[in-house]
mmCIF file of all heavy atoms in Angstrom:
data_model
loop_
_atom_site.group_PDB
_atom_site.id
_atom_site.type_symbol
_atom_site.label_atom_id
_atom_site.label_comp_id
_atom_site.label_asym_id
_atom_site.label_seq_id
_atom_site.Cartn_x
_atom_site.Cartn_y
_atom_site.Cartn_z
ATOM 1 N N VAL G 266 -42.139 17.946 -39.053
ATOM 2 C CA VAL G 266 -43.139 16.953 -39.621
ATOM 3 C C VAL G 266 -44.461 17.598 -40.003
ATOM 4 O O VAL G 266 -45.155 17.300 -40.967
ATOM 5 C CB VAL G 266 -43.396 15.819 -38.540
ATOM 6 C CG1 VAL G 266 -44.491 14.860 -39.044
ATOM 7 C CG2 VAL G 266 -42.183 15.043 -38.334
ATOM 8 N N GLU G 267 -44.924 18.557 -39.102
ATOM 9 C CA GLU G 267 -46.160 19.214 -39.331
ATOM 10 C C GLU G 267 -46.077 20.449 -40.202
ATOM 11 O O GLU G 267 -46.990 21.174 -40.432
ATOM 12 C CB GLU G 267 -46.780 19.661 -37.945
ATOM 13 C CG GLU G 267 -47.186 18.452 -37.083
ATOM 14 C CD GLU G 267 -48.272 17.541 -37.775
ATOM 15 O OE1 GLU G 267 -49.050 18.136 -38.603
ATOM 16 O OE2 GLU G 267 -48.292 16.338 -37.547
ATOM 17 N N ALA G 268 -44.742 20.732 -40.700
ATOM 18 C CA ALA G 268 -44.596 22.015 -41.523
ATOM 19 C C ALA G 268 -44.700 21.701 -42.939
ATOM 20 O O ALA G 268 -44.255 22.492 -43.812
ATOM 21 C CB ALA G 268 -43.248 22.595 -41.165
ATOM 22 N N GLY G 269 -45.224 20.589 -43.373
ATOM 23 C CA GLY G 269 -45.384 20.251 -44.734
ATOM 24 C C GLY G 269 -46.703 20.628 -45.385
ATOM 25 O O GLY G 269 -47.094 21.820 -45.382
ATOM 26 N N GLU G 270 -47.584 19.648 -45.673
ATOM 27 C CA GLU G 270 -48.841 19.964 -46.258
ATOM 28 C C GLU G 270 -49.914 20.121 -45.314
ATOM 29 O O GLU G 270 -51.097 20.354 -45.666
ATOM 30 C CB GLU G 270 -49.260 18.799 -47.292
ATOM 31 C CG GLU G 270 -48.390 18.882 -48.594
ATOM 32 C CD GLU G 270 -46.989 18.394 -48.358
ATOM 33 O OE1 GLU G 270 -46.773 17.519 -47.454
ATOM 34 O OE2 GLU G 270 -46.081 18.898 -49.051
ATOM 35 N N ARG G 271 -49.689 19.885 -44.011
ATOM 36 C CA ARG G 271 -50.812 19.897 -42.984
ATOM 37 C C ARG G 271 -50.832 21.123 -42.179
ATOM 38 O O ARG G 271 -51.011 21.111 -41.019
ATOM 39 C CB ARG G 271 -50.555 18.581 -42.125
ATOM 40 C CG ARG G 271 -50.826 17.375 -42.946
ATOM 41 C CD ARG G 271 -50.681 16.126 -42.053
ATOM 42 N NE ARG G 271 -49.295 15.868 -41.825
ATOM 43 C CZ ARG G 271 -48.792 14.819 -41.041
ATOM 44 N NH1 ARG G 271 -49.634 14.067 -40.422
ATOM 45 N NH2 ARG G 271 -47.524 14.727 -40.913
ATOM 46 N N LEU G 272 -50.568 22.248 -42.799
ATOM 47 C CA LEU G 272 -50.576 23.515 -42.074
ATOM 48 C C LEU G 272 -51.830 24.358 -42.279
ATOM 49 O O LEU G 272 -51.937 25.395 -41.702
ATOM 50 C CB LEU G 272 -49.265 24.418 -42.477
ATOM 51 C CG LEU G 272 -47.996 23.885 -41.992
ATOM 52 C CD1 LEU G 272 -46.878 24.707 -42.691
ATOM 53 C CD2 LEU G 272 -47.790 24.072 -40.576
ATOM 54 N N GLY G 273 -52.657 23.882 -43.094
ATOM 55 C CA GLY G 273 -53.843 24.647 -43.518
ATOM 56 C C GLY G 273 -54.768 25.083 -42.387
ATOM 57 O O GLY G 273 -55.345 26.131 -42.371
ATOM 58 N N PHE G 274 -54.786 24.175 -41.264
ATOM 59 C CA PHE G 274 -55.719 24.543 -40.239
ATOM 60 C C PHE G 274 -55.104 25.597 -39.341
ATOM 61 O O PHE G 274 -55.858 26.129 -38.438
ATOM 62 C CB PHE G 274 -56.110 23.242 -39.412
ATOM 63 C CG PHE G 274 -54.935 22.689 -38.714
ATOM 64 C CD1 PHE G 274 -54.676 23.021 -37.408
ATOM 65 C CD2 PHE G 274 -54.015 21.861 -39.333
ATOM 66 C CE1 PHE G 274 -53.568 22.477 -36.663
ATOM 67 C CE2 PHE G 274 -52.885 21.325 -38.685
ATOM 68 C CZ PHE G 274 -52.740 21.628 -37.378
ATOM 69 N N LEU G 275 -53.804 25.820 -39.407
ATOM 70 C CA LEU G 275 -53.149 26.818 -38.471
ATOM 71 C C LEU G 275 -53.532 28.237 -38.867
ATOM 72 O O LEU G 275 -53.557 28.519 -40.147
ATOM 73 C CB LEU G 275 -51.714 26.598 -38.381
ATOM 74 C CG LEU G 275 -51.203 25.290 -37.721
ATOM 75 C CD1 LEU G 275 -49.697 25.175 -37.871
ATOM 76 C CD2 LEU G 275 -51.703 25.189 -36.306
ATOM 77 N N PRO G 276 -53.721 29.145 -38.007
ATOM 78 C CA PRO G 276 -53.995 30.555 -38.421
ATOM 79 C C PRO G 276 -52.641 31.221 -38.891
ATOM 80 O O PRO G 276 -51.579 30.808 -38.539
ATOM 81 C CB PRO G 276 -54.471 31.213 -37.095
ATOM 82 C CG PRO G 276 -53.785 30.363 -36.005
ATOM 83 C CD PRO G 276 -53.742 28.969 -36.523
ATOM 84 N N GLY G 277 -52.887 32.358 -39.571
ATOM 85 C CA GLY G 277 -51.724 33.130 -40.011
ATOM 86 C C GLY G 277 -51.133 32.808 -41.431
ATOM 87 O O GLY G 277 -51.646 31.815 -41.970
ATOM 88 N N ASP G 278 -50.193 33.540 -41.819
ATOM 89 C CA ASP G 278 -49.540 33.241 -43.167
ATOM 90 C C ASP G 278 -48.534 32.196 -42.940
ATOM 91 O O ASP G 278 -48.288 31.601 -41.897
ATOM 92 C CB ASP G 278 -48.943 34.557 -43.716
ATOM 93 C CG ASP G 278 -47.864 35.079 -42.828
ATOM 94 O OD1 ASP G 278 -47.271 34.375 -41.987
ATOM 95 O OD2 ASP G 278 -47.540 36.327 -42.952
ATOM 96 N N LEU G 279 -47.856 31.901 -44.102
ATOM 97 C CA LEU G 279 -46.896 30.775 -44.073
ATOM 98 C C LEU G 279 -45.855 30.908 -43.029
ATOM 99 O O LEU G 279 -45.448 30.001 -42.363
ATOM 100 C CB LEU G 279 -46.329 30.606 -45.464
ATOM 101 C CG LEU G 279 -45.389 29.372 -45.701
ATOM 102 C CD1 LEU G 279 -46.150 28.029 -45.414
ATOM 103 C CD2 LEU G 279 -44.865 29.352 -47.087
ATOM 104 N N THR G 280 -45.175 32.149 -42.979
ATOM 105 C CA THR G 280 -44.180 32.379 -42.088
ATOM 106 C C THR G 280 -44.625 32.155 -40.608
ATOM 107 O O THR G 280 -43.898 31.547 -39.858
ATOM 108 C CB THR G 280 -43.630 33.803 -42.183
ATOM 109 O OG1 THR G 280 -43.158 33.952 -43.542
ATOM 110 C CG2 THR G 280 -42.450 34.114 -41.183
ATOM 111 N N GLU G 281 -45.834 32.670 -40.287
ATOM 112 C CA GLU G 281 -46.358 32.449 -38.926
ATOM 113 C C GLU G 281 -46.659 31.066 -38.632
ATOM 114 O O GLU G 281 -46.518 30.645 -37.478
ATOM 115 C CB GLU G 281 -47.644 33.307 -38.788
ATOM 116 C CG GLU G 281 -47.384 34.830 -38.836
ATOM 117 C CD GLU G 281 -48.666 35.636 -38.895
ATOM 118 O OE1 GLU G 281 -49.547 35.033 -39.420
ATOM 119 O OE2 GLU G 281 -48.653 36.708 -38.465
ATOM 120 N N LYS G 282 -46.893 30.251 -39.634
ATOM 121 C CA LYS G 282 -47.260 28.865 -39.455
ATOM 122 C C LYS G 282 -46.028 28.017 -39.142
ATOM 123 O O LYS G 282 -46.006 27.092 -38.301
ATOM 124 C CB LYS G 282 -47.929 28.257 -40.644
ATOM 125 C CG LYS G 282 -49.321 28.727 -40.828
ATOM 126 C CD LYS G 282 -49.990 28.198 -42.103
ATOM 127 C CE LYS G 282 -51.422 28.727 -42.312
ATOM 128 N NZ LYS G 282 -52.055 28.121 -43.497
ATOM 129 N N ILE G 283 -44.894 28.283 -39.903
ATOM 130 C CA ILE G 283 -43.711 27.486 -39.759
ATOM 131 C C ILE G 283 -42.719 27.959 -38.636
ATOM 132 O O ILE G 283 -41.862 27.187 -38.175
ATOM 133 C CB ILE G 283 -42.962 27.369 -41.064
ATOM 134 C CG1 ILE G 283 -42.375 28.731 -41.497
ATOM 135 C CG2 ILE G 283 -43.837 26.793 -42.148
ATOM 136 C CD1 ILE G 283 -41.579 28.705 -42.741
ATOM 137 N N ASP G 284 -42.784 29.220 -38.280
ATOM 138 C CA ASP G 284 -41.877 29.777 -37.324
ATOM 139 C C ASP G 284 -41.735 29.016 -35.999
ATOM 140 O O ASP G 284 -40.758 28.861 -35.401
ATOM 141 C CB ASP G 284 -42.155 31.295 -36.970
ATOM 142 C CG ASP G 284 -41.420 32.179 -37.963
ATOM 143 O OD1 ASP G 284 -40.704 31.650 -38.875
ATOM 144 O OD2 ASP G 284 -41.588 33.379 -37.917
ATOM 145 N N PRO G 285 -42.911 28.499 -35.424
ATOM 146 C CA PRO G 285 -42.894 27.841 -34.134
ATOM 147 C C PRO G 285 -41.951 26.590 -34.224
ATOM 148 O O PRO G 285 -41.285 26.229 -33.216
ATOM 149 C CB PRO G 285 -44.291 27.388 -33.858
ATOM 150 C CG PRO G 285 -45.103 28.438 -34.558
ATOM 151 C CD PRO G 285 -44.383 28.808 -35.820
ATOM 152 N N TYR G 286 -41.886 25.892 -35.430
ATOM 153 C CA TYR G 286 -41.017 24.749 -35.517
ATOM 154 C C TYR G 286 -39.526 25.110 -35.615
ATOM 155 O O TYR G 286 -38.698 24.279 -35.306
ATOM 156 C CB TYR G 286 -41.424 23.965 -36.819
ATOM 157 C CG TYR G 286 -42.801 23.536 -36.777
ATOM 158 C CD1 TYR G 286 -43.855 24.247 -37.374
ATOM 159 C CD2 TYR G 286 -43.211 22.355 -36.068
ATOM 160 C CE1 TYR G 286 -45.196 23.815 -37.401
ATOM 161 C CE2 TYR G 286 -44.511 21.893 -36.020
ATOM 162 C CZ TYR G 286 -45.514 22.606 -36.647
ATOM 163 O OH TYR G 286 -46.830 22.276 -36.602
ATOM 164 N N LEU G 287 -39.337 26.406 -36.024
ATOM 165 C CA LEU G 287 -37.912 26.836 -36.210
ATOM 166 C C LEU G 287 -37.449 27.755 -35.077
ATOM 167 O O LEU G 287 -36.288 28.171 -35.032
ATOM 168 C CB LEU G 287 -37.765 27.555 -37.482
ATOM 169 C CG LEU G 287 -38.350 26.838 -38.758
ATOM 170 C CD1 LEU G 287 -38.365 27.749 -39.895
ATOM 171 C CD2 LEU G 287 -37.397 25.629 -39.057
ATOM 172 N N ARG G 288 -38.255 27.997 -34.083
ATOM 173 C CA ARG G 288 -38.048 28.966 -32.986
ATOM 174 C C ARG G 288 -36.704 28.644 -32.226
ATOM 175 O O ARG G 288 -35.895 29.554 -32.045
ATOM 176 C CB ARG G 288 -39.187 28.991 -31.980
ATOM 177 C CG ARG G 288 -38.955 29.935 -30.806
ATOM 178 C CD ARG G 288 -38.558 31.345 -31.276
ATOM 179 N NE ARG G 288 -39.503 31.831 -32.226
ATOM 180 C CZ ARG G 288 -39.216 32.952 -32.934
ATOM 181 N NH1 ARG G 288 -38.189 33.611 -32.684
ATOM 182 N NH2 ARG G 288 -40.159 33.420 -33.812
ATOM 183 N N PRO G 289 -36.382 27.398 -31.914
ATOM 184 C CA PRO G 289 -35.091 27.085 -31.232
ATOM 185 C C PRO G 289 -33.940 27.584 -32.047
ATOM 186 O O PRO G 289 -32.909 28.124 -31.441
ATOM 187 C CB PRO G 289 -35.049 25.629 -31.003
ATOM 188 C CG PRO G 289 -36.529 25.229 -31.028
ATOM 189 C CD PRO G 289 -37.175 26.091 -32.037
ATOM 190 N N LEU G 290 -33.970 27.484 -33.339
ATOM 191 C CA LEU G 290 -32.829 27.929 -34.228
ATOM 192 C C LEU G 290 -32.754 29.505 -34.170
ATOM 193 O O LEU G 290 -31.700 30.071 -34.072
ATOM 194 C CB LEU G 290 -32.969 27.472 -35.597
ATOM 195 C CG LEU G 290 -33.038 25.890 -35.717
ATOM 196 C CD1 LEU G 290 -33.165 25.490 -37.208
ATOM 197 C CD2 LEU G 290 -31.754 25.214 -35.174
ATOM 198 N N TYR G 291 -33.916 30.121 -34.317
ATOM 199 C CA TYR G 291 -33.938 31.580 -34.228
ATOM 200 C C TYR G 291 -33.441 32.060 -32.864
ATOM 201 O O TYR G 291 -32.661 33.065 -32.749
ATOM 202 C CB TYR G 291 -35.396 32.171 -34.349
ATOM 203 C CG TYR G 291 -35.859 32.174 -35.838
ATOM 204 C CD1 TYR G 291 -36.948 31.339 -36.263
ATOM 205 C CD2 TYR G 291 -35.338 33.129 -36.685
ATOM 206 C CE1 TYR G 291 -37.359 31.486 -37.595
ATOM 207 C CE2 TYR G 291 -35.678 33.231 -38.017
ATOM 208 C CZ TYR G 291 -36.773 32.385 -38.428
ATOM 209 O OH TYR G 291 -37.212 32.505 -39.768
ATOM 210 N N ASP G 292 -33.792 31.445 -31.767
ATOM 211 C CA ASP G 292 -33.369 31.837 -30.466
ATOM 212 C C ASP G 292 -31.844 31.804 -30.335
ATOM 213 O O ASP G 292 -31.203 32.679 -29.728
ATOM 214 C CB ASP G 292 -33.984 30.981 -29.431
ATOM 215 C CG ASP G 292 -35.500 31.137 -29.223
ATOM 216 O OD1 ASP G 292 -36.004 32.204 -29.686
ATOM 217 O OD2 ASP G 292 -36.163 30.265 -28.682
ATOM 218 N N ALA G 293 -31.281 30.745 -30.840
ATOM 219 C CA ALA G 293 -29.800 30.607 -30.822
ATOM 220 C C ALA G 293 -29.159 31.769 -31.666
ATOM 221 O O ALA G 293 -28.188 32.352 -31.258
ATOM 222 C CB ALA G 293 -29.332 29.248 -31.375
ATOM 223 N N LEU G 294 -29.686 31.999 -32.775
ATOM 224 C CA LEU G 294 -29.194 33.104 -33.619
ATOM 225 C C LEU G 294 -29.311 34.496 -32.857
ATOM 226 O O LEU G 294 -28.391 35.343 -32.966
ATOM 227 C CB LEU G 294 -29.851 33.173 -34.943
ATOM 228 C CG LEU G 294 -29.600 32.081 -35.941
ATOM 229 C CD1 LEU G 294 -30.503 32.146 -37.099
ATOM 230 C CD2 LEU G 294 -28.161 32.150 -36.445
ATOM 231 N N TYR G 295 -30.412 34.711 -32.199
ATOM 232 C CA TYR G 295 -30.627 36.020 -31.521
ATOM 233 C C TYR G 295 -29.642 36.146 -30.453
ATOM 234 O O TYR G 295 -29.183 37.244 -30.098
ATOM 235 C CB TYR G 295 -32.083 36.059 -30.947
ATOM 236 C CG TYR G 295 -33.115 36.217 -31.978
ATOM 237 C CD1 TYR G 295 -34.391 35.613 -31.830
ATOM 238 C CD2 TYR G 295 -32.915 36.902 -33.224
ATOM 239 C CE1 TYR G 295 -35.431 35.727 -32.781
ATOM 240 C CE2 TYR G 295 -33.897 37.085 -34.140
ATOM 241 C CZ TYR G 295 -35.175 36.454 -33.942
ATOM 242 O OH TYR G 295 -36.125 36.555 -34.857
ATOM 243 N N GLU G 296 -29.211 35.062 -29.772
ATOM 244 C CA GLU G 296 -28.236 35.123 -28.660
ATOM 245 C C GLU G 296 -26.930 35.405 -29.259
ATOM 246 O O GLU G 296 -26.041 36.003 -28.468
ATOM 247 C CB GLU G 296 -28.277 33.824 -27.862
ATOM 248 C CG GLU G 296 -29.441 33.737 -26.925
ATOM 249 C CD GLU G 296 -29.187 32.541 -25.974
ATOM 250 O OE1 GLU G 296 -27.970 32.277 -25.584
ATOM 251 O OE2 GLU G 296 -30.155 32.010 -25.495
ATOM 252 N N LEU G 297 -26.634 35.002 -30.445
ATOM 253 C CA LEU G 297 -25.248 35.022 -30.929
ATOM 254 C C LEU G 297 -24.905 36.169 -31.883
ATOM 255 O O LEU G 297 -23.760 36.444 -32.216
ATOM 256 C CB LEU G 297 -24.852 33.655 -31.664
ATOM 257 C CG LEU G 297 -24.866 32.449 -30.710
ATOM 258 C CD1 LEU G 297 -24.965 31.181 -31.559
ATOM 259 C CD2 LEU G 297 -23.587 32.445 -29.968
ATOM 260 N N MET G 298 -26.014 36.870 -32.364
ATOM 261 C CA MET G 298 -25.748 37.975 -33.287
ATOM 262 C C MET G 298 -26.491 39.176 -32.837
ATOM 263 O O MET G 298 -27.608 39.130 -32.431
ATOM 264 C CB MET G 298 -26.180 37.490 -34.679
ATOM 265 C CG MET G 298 -25.555 36.338 -35.318
ATOM 266 S SD MET G 298 -26.205 35.988 -36.953
ATOM 267 C CE MET G 298 -25.431 37.359 -37.844
ATOM 268 N N PRO G 299 -25.914 40.422 -33.061
ATOM 269 C CA PRO G 299 -26.694 41.572 -32.770
ATOM 270 C C PRO G 299 -27.878 41.708 -33.644
ATOM 271 O O PRO G 299 -27.777 41.276 -34.810
ATOM 272 C CB PRO G 299 -25.650 42.604 -33.097
ATOM 273 C CG PRO G 299 -24.286 42.060 -32.992
ATOM 274 C CD PRO G 299 -24.509 40.634 -33.377
ATOM 275 N N PRO G 300 -28.967 42.180 -33.143
ATOM 276 C CA PRO G 300 -30.275 42.230 -33.939
ATOM 277 C C PRO G 300 -30.016 42.866 -35.371
ATOM 278 O O PRO G 300 -30.496 42.371 -36.324
ATOM 279 C CB PRO G 300 -31.177 43.115 -33.112
ATOM 280 C CG PRO G 300 -30.630 42.950 -31.764
ATOM 281 C CD PRO G 300 -29.185 42.849 -31.829
ATOM 282 N N GLU G 301 -29.263 44.024 -35.419
ATOM 283 C CA GLU G 301 -29.142 44.644 -36.784
ATOM 284 C C GLU G 301 -28.395 43.817 -37.696
ATOM 285 O O GLU G 301 -28.649 43.681 -38.940
ATOM 286 C CB GLU G 301 -28.584 46.076 -36.612
ATOM 287 C CG GLU G 301 -27.150 46.072 -36.030
ATOM 288 C CD GLU G 301 -27.068 45.966 -34.489
ATOM 289 O OE1 GLU G 301 -28.126 45.753 -33.872
ATOM 290 O OE2 GLU G 301 -25.938 45.990 -33.969
ATOM 291 N N ARG G 302 -27.287 43.100 -37.158
ATOM 292 C CA ARG G 302 -26.526 42.246 -37.969
ATOM 293 C C ARG G 302 -27.339 41.050 -38.427
ATOM 294 O O ARG G 302 -27.303 40.616 -39.603
ATOM 295 C CB ARG G 302 -25.294 41.696 -37.272
ATOM 296 C CG ARG G 302 -24.491 40.665 -37.909
ATOM 297 C CD ARG G 302 -23.710 41.180 -39.042
ATOM 298 N NE ARG G 302 -22.832 40.121 -39.738
ATOM 299 C CZ ARG G 302 -23.210 39.445 -40.763
ATOM 300 N NH1 ARG G 302 -24.449 39.710 -41.365
ATOM 301 N NH2 ARG G 302 -22.437 38.577 -41.300
#
Side-chain angles (χ1 to χ4, degrees):
V266 176
E267 294 298 330
E270 288 73 32
R271 293 177 284 179
L272 286 170
F274 67 95
L275 293 176
D278 60 20
L279 185 61
T280 300
E281 292 169 333
K282 290 176 180 182
I283 65 177
D284 271 358
Y286 300 98
L287 306 170
R288 180 51 52 190
L290 301 179
Y291 279 114
D292 289 343
L294 287 170
Y295 290 147
E296 284 194 28
L297 293 162
M298 299 182 72
E301 64 280 2
R302 172 72 178 95

